[in-house]
Amino acid sequence: MTTSNGHIIGVDIGTSLTKAVVFDRAGVSIAEACTPSEVHHLPGGLVEQDLEQVLGTVATVVREVHGQLDGPVVALALTGQGDGLWLRDADGSPVRPAISWLDGRANSLLAKWQAEGVTREVFRRTGSGLFPGSAATILSYLDKHEPESLDRAVVAGYCVDAVLQRLTGEIAVDVSDASLPFLNPATRRYDEEAIAACGLTHRRHLLAEPAAPRTVFRLDARGAELLGLPAGLPVTAGPFDLPACAIGAGVSQVGDGILTAGTTLACQVLTDSPEFDPEGEPAGMFLCTPTVGEFLRAMPAMVGTASLDWACGVLGIEVNQVSELLAESSPGAGGVRVLPFLSTSGERAPFVDAAARAQFSGLSLESTRADMIRALCEGIAYAARHCFEAAGLSGTLYACGGGVRSTEWTQIFADVLGRPIVIPGDPGVGARGAVLVAGEALGEPFDAELWAANSRTVEARPENTAVYQRGYDEYQAALAAAREQWRL
C-alpha cells in the first residue's frame, strides 16, 4: 500500500507460493512478485517444509517487488499459512523440518482423542476443533515419538511467526494463529485446561504469548541483510491468511462471509459474539481478529484446488482446460456425484474425520471427463454450502483464491449456494488484508471501502437452484452413509 511517506509491502507466505504485493491507496496492485515454495510429501502421509527455503522465497519476492517501486519502503506486512508446527530454537533456526497443516502422521492419535473425548473437551473450551495437522495434535505426537525435537526447541509456533523471528529476532505469535487450538476467544488467552486435556502442560513453555493487537516489530540487522531493506523498518505479522483474506476482501459486517477456493476451501463468517454451542460438532475454528470483540467462525475444509489438481493429473488434462470442460457438462454432471475428500489426512470442517475419503458415484460408459470434472467441482461447492450452514452465513458473501479465476466454477458456487458472490478485483486479498492491518498499526489507516469499486458480482442463476438443491440433498445423504462406513 502507498502511504503519504512511501510503500508498504504485503507478503503472503502460502503453502506452495509466496507472494509480495504493493497496492496504491485505492487498493489496486502496482507491483507484485511471486515464487513457489517447496512442499515435501513423504511416505506415511507426512508433509513437511524447510524454513530456510521458505525464508528464501520471502527474500526473493521482497527484493523483486522492491525493485519495481519508485520511492521508499516504509513497512513490511506479513501474513501466511496457519496451523502445522514450526519448531525453532532461540536464534530462530529450525530444530527439525516444519510440519505442514496438510500432514497426516497424527491421524491415529486424533482418532484416539475423538474416542476418549479429548477433542470434545478442547472444543468446549475454545470453540475450535482439532485435526491431524493442528499444532496440538502434532505436538502430542512428537512428544511421544520425537521428544528430542521438543527438548531442543524454544518455541513451537507457525509459519508467519517463524519468519518474523528470523527477520526481527522477536518471539511472538498473532492472536489469530494462537486461536487454534488453545485460545479462549472471549479472553484471548490460552486455556490451561485445554492444554492439559491434550497432555501438554509440560510443554506449555513452548507456546509464545499472543502479541497485542497491531503490534509493530522492527527489522533487525540479519533481516535487513536478507531482504535488502533498512534495519529498523517496521514489520507487522498477522493475522494469518484466513482472516487476512477476510479483511482484504471487504468482510466488515456481522454475518458477512468469505469463500477462499484455494488449496483449502476456507469458509468464514464474521461475528461479534464469542459465544458458541459447546455441544455442537467439534470442528472448525473460532478465530480472534485484530479487532477486539470481533471473531471469524471459520470452516476450512481440506477439499479445494488440490483435489482439482489431482483429477487433472489422473485424467491427463491441464488445469487451464477446466473451465472449458465445465462448460461442456450441464448442471448435475450427467448424474455423476462426488464426495470430494481426497486429502490423506481426511477432513477437518465442518466435521473432523481423519478416515474421510472421496467417492465417485453414478459413473457409466456414457460419462465423460467433463462430467467427472464438473461433478468434482459441484461436490466441492456442496462442501462449501455445508460449511457456510455450520458457520452461520447471513450477509454478503465474498470470494477469492485460485478457484474463482474460473468463471464457470465461480458460477457453480453461486448456484449451489443460491446467493450472489462478490469477487474483489485484485487477487492479492491476503496480502492486502495484512497491509490494511499494518496501516492501522502505523497510524495511517486506509479507506477499505475503495476496494469495492474494483469488484464484480456473480449472481446465482434461478434456473439451476432446484437442480442443485436436489444435488445437495443427495450429497448430504451420501455423506451421512459414508461417515458410518468410515467408523467401521
Side-chain angles (χ1 to χ4, degrees):
M1 190 75 74
T2 301
T3 72
S4 58
N5 300 314
H7 306 290
I8 300 176
I9 298 177
V11 181
D12 188 349
I13 313 159
T15 304
S16 57
L17 191 74
T18 297
K19 185 174 186 177
V21 191
V22 176
F23 304 91
D24 64 18
R25 293 197 66 85
V28 177
S29 61
I30 59 173
E32 59 183 87
C34 63
T35 193
S37 288
E38 296 174 2
V39 182
H40 304 288
H41 293 266
L42 308 172
L46 279 62
V47 184
E48 298 184 343
Q49 292 193 268
D50 177 2
L51 174 58
E52 303 300 336
Q53 194 273 333
V54 172
L55 278 166
T57 68
V58 174
T60 295
V61 296
V62 169
R63 285 177 175 272
E64 184 175 341
V65 82
H66 185 203
Q68 300 174 33
L69 298 173
D70 293 324
V73 173
V74 297
L76 188 69
L78 303 176
T79 186
Q81 59 177 299
D83 305 309
L85 194 69
W86 298 62
L87 292 170
R88 296 104 62 190
D89 62 19
D91 196 44
S93 297
V95 302
R96 69 168 328 283
I99 300 177
S100 170
W101 59 274
L102 290 163
D103 193 87
R105 76 189 68 199
N107 284 7
S108 60
L109 173 61
L110 178 74
K112 178 174 181 286
W113 277 2
Q114 287 176 318
E116 295 175 349
V118 173
T119 56
R120 168 64 65 185
E121 178 63 16
V122 173
F123 181 79
R124 286 192 183 114
R125 294 184 171 278
T126 68
S128 290
L130 300 178
F131 64 98
S134 63
T137 322
I138 300 170
L139 269 172
S140 184
Y141 180 92
L142 293 181
D143 191 48
K144 179 178 180 180
H145 298 281
E146 200 180 303
E148 65 277 6
S149 292
L150 300 185
D151 292 341
R152 292 196 302 271
V154 169
V155 58
Y158 307 88
C159 176
V160 176
D161 53 89
V163 173
L164 174 74
Q165 185 180 0
R166 289 293 289 274
L167 296 182
T168 69
E170 300 282 354
I171 296 177
V173 64
D174 186 77
V175 69
S176 62
D177 266 317
S179 292
L180 181 73
F182 296 129
L183 210 70
N184 179 323
T187 64
R188 300 168 73 97
R189 306 290 297 177
Y190 292 121
D191 187 296
E192 303 300 334
E193 293 301 319
I195 297 172
C198 296
L200 291 169
T201 300
H202 64 297
R203 299 294 187 181
R204 169 67 172 82
H205 63 282
L206 294 176
L207 304 178
E209 294 300 322
R214 301 178 179 85
T215 296
V216 177
F217 304 92
R218 299 283 173 175
L219 206 61
D220 65 13
R222 181 172 60 168
E225 181 178 3
L226 178 68
L227 302 183
L229 296 172
L233 186 78
V235 179
T236 59
F240 80 94
D241 57 6
L242 294 190
C245 283
I247 294 168
V251 172
S252 59
Q253 303 298 314
V254 171
D256 285 356
I258 180 169
L259 166 69
T260 303
T263 305
T264 291
L265 181 75
C267 303
Q268 305 176 80
V269 176
L270 185 67
T271 177
D272 59 359
S273 171
E275 301 298 322
F276 60 91
D277 179 8
E279 302 306 318
E281 182 93 36
M285 305 174 181
F286 207 107
L287 303 176
C288 293
T289 73
T291 301
V292 175
E294 289 189 355
F295 312 88
L296 284 162
R297 188 74 178 112
M299 294 289 166
M302 298 295 285
V303 302
T305 56
S307 302
L308 198 57
D309 292 339
W310 170 86
C312 289
V314 169
L315 296 174
I317 60 178
E318 299 296 328
V319 173
N320 59 14
Q321 296 176 264
V322 167
S323 290
E324 178 183 344
L325 289 169
L326 289 175
E328 291 178 9
S329 179
S330 60
V336 181
R337 296 287 185 264
V338 175
L339 294 180
F341 309 110
L342 286 156
S343 171
T344 55
S345 55
E347 187 51 277
R348 62 176 177 175
F351 63 91
V352 177
D353 195 331
R357 291 298 181 267
Q359 296 179 8
F360 281 74
S361 62
L363 290 164
S364 74
L365 292 175
E366 295 182 350
S367 300
T368 66
R369 293 190 304 178
D371 292 331
M372 295 181 70
I373 290 294
R374 187 174 188 98
L376 178 58
C377 289
E378 289 177 348
I380 294 171
Y382 293 141
R385 178 169 170 177
H386 194 187
C387 286
F388 278 121
E389 287 178 353
L393 175 66
S394 61
T396 302
L397 178 61
Y398 301 84
C400 65
V404 299
R405 294 174 191 162
S406 166
T407 301
E408 288 75 13
W409 197 8
T410 305
Q411 188 66 62
I412 290 173
F413 278 119
D415 292 346
V416 168
L417 293 166
R419 63 194 309 131
I421 298 178
V422 179
I423 311 295
D426 195 291
V429 291
R432 186 175 185 275
V435 167
L436 287 171
V437 172
E440 293 183 0
L442 296 171
E444 285 203 45
F446 303 99
D447 184 358
E449 294 183 2
L450 287 176
W451 183 254
N454 301 313
S455 66
R456 62 184 176 89
T457 300
V458 177
E459 300 286 348
R461 294 177 295 193
E463 63 270 24
N464 291 335
T465 55
V467 173
Y468 284 128
Q469 182 59 56
R470 289 194 300 272
Y472 183 61
D473 291 342
E474 293 172 3
Y475 170 88
Q476 287 284 20
L479 176 58
R483 293 188 71 179
E484 289 298 322
Q485 293 175 358
W486 297 333
R487 292 189 181 100
L488 299 179

